[in-house]
Amino acid sequence: MGWLDRERTIAPPGFNRWLVPPAALAVHLCIGQAYATSVYKTALVKHFGASLTEIGVIFSIAIVMLGLSAAIMGTWVDKNGPRKAMFTSAVFWASGFLIGSLGIFTGQLWLVYLGYGVVGGIGLGIGYISPVSTLIKWFPDRPGLATGMAIMGFGGGALIASPVSTALLKLYDPNSGAKGWVASGDSVGKLFLTLAVVYLAYMMFGAFTIKVPAEGWKPAGFDPANVRAAALVTTENVSAKNAVKTRQFWLVWIALFCNVTAGIGILEQAAPMIQDFFRQPDGTSLASAAVAAGFVGLLSIGNMAGRFAWSATSDATGRKRIYMLFLGGGAVLYTVLALAGSTTTVLYVALAFVIISFYGGGFATAPAYLRDLFGTFQVGAIHGRLLTAWSAAGVAGPLIVNAFLDAQGKPGALTAASYQPALLTMVALLVIGFVANLLVSLVDARFHEPRPGRVRSEEPAMEA
Amino acid sequence: MSTAQTPVTPSTGKLILAWALVGVPLAYGVYETLTRVAGLFG
């Protein structure tokens, strides 16, 4: 399909680069639905007669597939350009919903695993990285702002999908007005069909709006020499194959892994955690279910806002410094949360909000950090490989928190003190991430791609 | 070869439409979430 090729997407002179962020956002807002699966989780438990864990596996498979497909397909995405990548992502993401709906209508849970989990997960991974390198090339003067705008969409997608899905479930289920209503499997199947159509259309808008800059294009007034002057920013390029052989890649991997693991620790437990923190001696909590729901909503906004605000800020502060804030500041805030978080709800909510903004900021700043260290040549592919840190953290974070909480007592009887071991473990993780980030330096010249008229001084030591 | 281009807006309407397509749903999502957040302070 030649009309999807990179060559067909080269922007004509005068193309407005501000058309690229909405194209990227269109994709990220759609795949961000992955964070809104809790809307129909209970309905699927009832429909399949399955446990919460069995239904939770759907989401886990999708996140693991996200990391794997981003890592494996990153080079393909860089080579074929954003339009083909977004188109492919849209087809996989929509197909995931279609196969998933078939599984729901026929009562086959494995089809939901295959559809939403595996097929949809591949769409997630390709879609997540598809606009990143293009945005960095369009905004060499503000890479953090550009990637922050797109990756903010992944956080914002759930904010849209959650109320829309709830409204559609009510529309599709004739019993929605009943007391203690749980959506029927049929209504969830219809919801999946609707989302497949809507997301396909939206992502196609993104795919056919995005364009890549012409070779040698640069924004008016932008001088690459100024980029070189900034500390820890290279004007050289490193291939994805060589990037994973550098110490810098793995140090950033560790920093991202620690940041995400710590953030997931709070996100996963958000609603029960605030109730447990303010549990009274008689077993009741000062935080009602409505307060807990409001708290979860506030964290979603913190997650989304942090992606944009911190990533944009990193253009001024530098990537290493902003990661020092995420990890060092995060460690301090987590310590305060563990030791004094239960004193007032205002303090607790404020701490959690900032911590989650650091979590989102870590995701959004990562592509620009990679651009600084490895150049723009294969930054999408390198970013894809880095996202394996997310997959690993997606497993490690909940495991750490749940293991500690299981040892402390039964859900509903936990208190603020029950969370201290888990939270202080997160502090230790953040300190490890802080040290890893501190050790990040410029990539050795032997990993750089040769330029015309200049050959690589020696082959990368680890390449043999 | 490096060529600096002055950004021009060949179609402001297209730009507004593109941003509206993503901005309106996002604003709706933020609004809906903020109404839930109100429960936190209510």
Side-chain angles (χ1 to χ4, degrees), chain A residues 285-310:
Chain A
S285 176
L286 291 176
S288 65
V291 166
F295 177 62
V296 173
L298 193 70
L299 291 190
S300 302
I301 290 177
N303 182 12
M304 185 186 78
R307 286 169 192 251
F308 178 70
W310 292 123

Side-chain angles (χ1 to χ4, degrees), chain A residues 46-358:
Chain A
K46 190 180 163 199
H47 176 68
F48 286 109
S51 67
L52 264 174
T53 307
E54 285 173 307
I55 298 301
V57 166
I58 302 168
F59 176 73
S60 301
I61 294 173
I63 292 297
V64 169
M65 289 308 296
L66 183 157
L68 289 177
S69 59
I72 294 167
M73 299 296 288
T75 310
W76 179 86
V77 170
D78 269 350
K79 188 180 169 191
N80 288 280
R83 180 168 294 169
K84 191 178 272 186
M86 286 180 174
F87 181 89
T88 307
S89 164
V91 170
F92 271 96
W93 187 229
S95 300
F97 278 104
L98 292 178
I99 298 168
S101 70
L102 185 67
I104 295 168
F105 286 132
T106 59
Q108 303 287 324
L109 183 56
W110 70 272
L111 266 178
V112 187
Y113 288 158
L114 175 70
Y116 190 95
V118 178
V119 178
I122 293 171
L124 276 177
I126 297 174
Y128 193 92
I129 59 170
S130 60
V132 167
S133 68
T134 305
L135 280 164
I136 286 174
K137 284 167 189 161
W138 274 115
F139 292 85
D141 46 343
R142 299 295 304 274
L145 171 86
T147 56
M149 271 190 283
I151 294 174
M152 171 187 77
F154 198 80
L159 301 189
I160 304 168
S162 186
V164 168
S165 298
T166 304
L168 285 172
L169 288 173
K170 284 179 180 168
L171 180 72
Y172 292 145
D173 191 342
N175 298 319
S176 62
K179 196 179 175 187
W181 169 72
V182 174
S184 66
D186 184 66
S187 64
V188 181
K190 287 174 181 166
L191 170 70
F192 270 40
L193 287 176
T194 310
L195 293 179
V197 174
V198 172
Y199 285 150
L200 185 68
Y202 242 89
M203 291 170 83
M204 287 301 168
F205 155 70
F208 288 98
T209 302
I210 201 157
K211 289 193 185 297
V212 296
E215 186 68 31
W217 178 89
K218 60 179 181 178
F222 174 68
D223 183 1
N226 292 337
V227 174
R228 185 176 224 159
L232 262 186
V233 180
T234 185
T235 52
E236 301 291 340
N237 285 303
V238 179
S239 69
K241 188 179 162 193
N242 282 333
V244 294
K245 294 170 185 165
T246 64
R247 194 168 55 110
Q248 286 78 2
F249 175 85
W250 292 105
L251 289 172
V252 175
W253 194 99
I254 292 168
L256 183 66
F257 170 80
C258 293
N259 195 46
V260 176
T261 303
I264 283 178
I266 278 200
L267 268 182
E268 281 278 317
Q269 282 293 119
M273 192 170 162
I274 189 171
Q275 292 188 299
D276 292 337
F277 256 69
F278 297 98
R279 195 168 297 289
Q280 299 302 293
D282 63 357
T284 60
S285 176
L286 291 176
S288 65
V291 166
F295 177 62
V296 173
L298 193 70
L299 291 190
S300 302
I301 290 177
N303 182 12
M304 185 186 78
R307 286 169 192 251
F308 178 70
W310 292 123
S311 186
T313 305
S314 75
D315 286 332
T317 62
R319 257 54 82 170
K320 187 171 178 174
R321 282 191 190 144
I322 207 91
Y323 259 80
M324 283 167 73
L325 175 68
F326 297 155
L327 297 156
V332 172
L333 295 181
Y334 256 102
T335 306
V336 178
L337 186 74
L339 303 177
S342 60
T343 49
T344 68
T345 46
V346 173
L347 177 68
Y348 176 88
V349 168
L351 289 169
F353 184 84
V354 179
I355 286 170
I356 289 304
S357 80
F358 287 168

Side-chain angles (χ1 to χ4, degrees), chain A residues 14 16 18-19 21-22 25-26 29 149 152 156 159-160 163-164 202 205 215-218 220 291 293-295 297-298 301 304 349, chain B residues 1-10 14-15 17-22 25-26 28-30 32-34 36-41:
Chain A
N16 191 325
W18 287 97
L19 274 169
L25 263 172
L29 285 173
M149 271 190 283
M152 171 187 77
L159 301 189
I160 304 168
V164 168
Y202 242 89
F205 155 70
E215 186 68 31
W217 178 89
K218 60 179 181 178
V291 166
F295 177 62
L298 193 70
I301 290 177
M304 185 186 78
V349 168
Chain B
M1 190 179 73
S2 184
T3 51
Q5 294 171 0
T6 307
V8 292
T9 48
K14 195 174 178 183
L15 197 66
L17 180 69
W19 276 101
L21 273 170
V22 292
L26 190 56
Y28 162 77
V30 171
E32 285 290 329
T33 309
L34 284 175
R36 265 199 300 150
V37 172
L40 191 58
F41 304 104

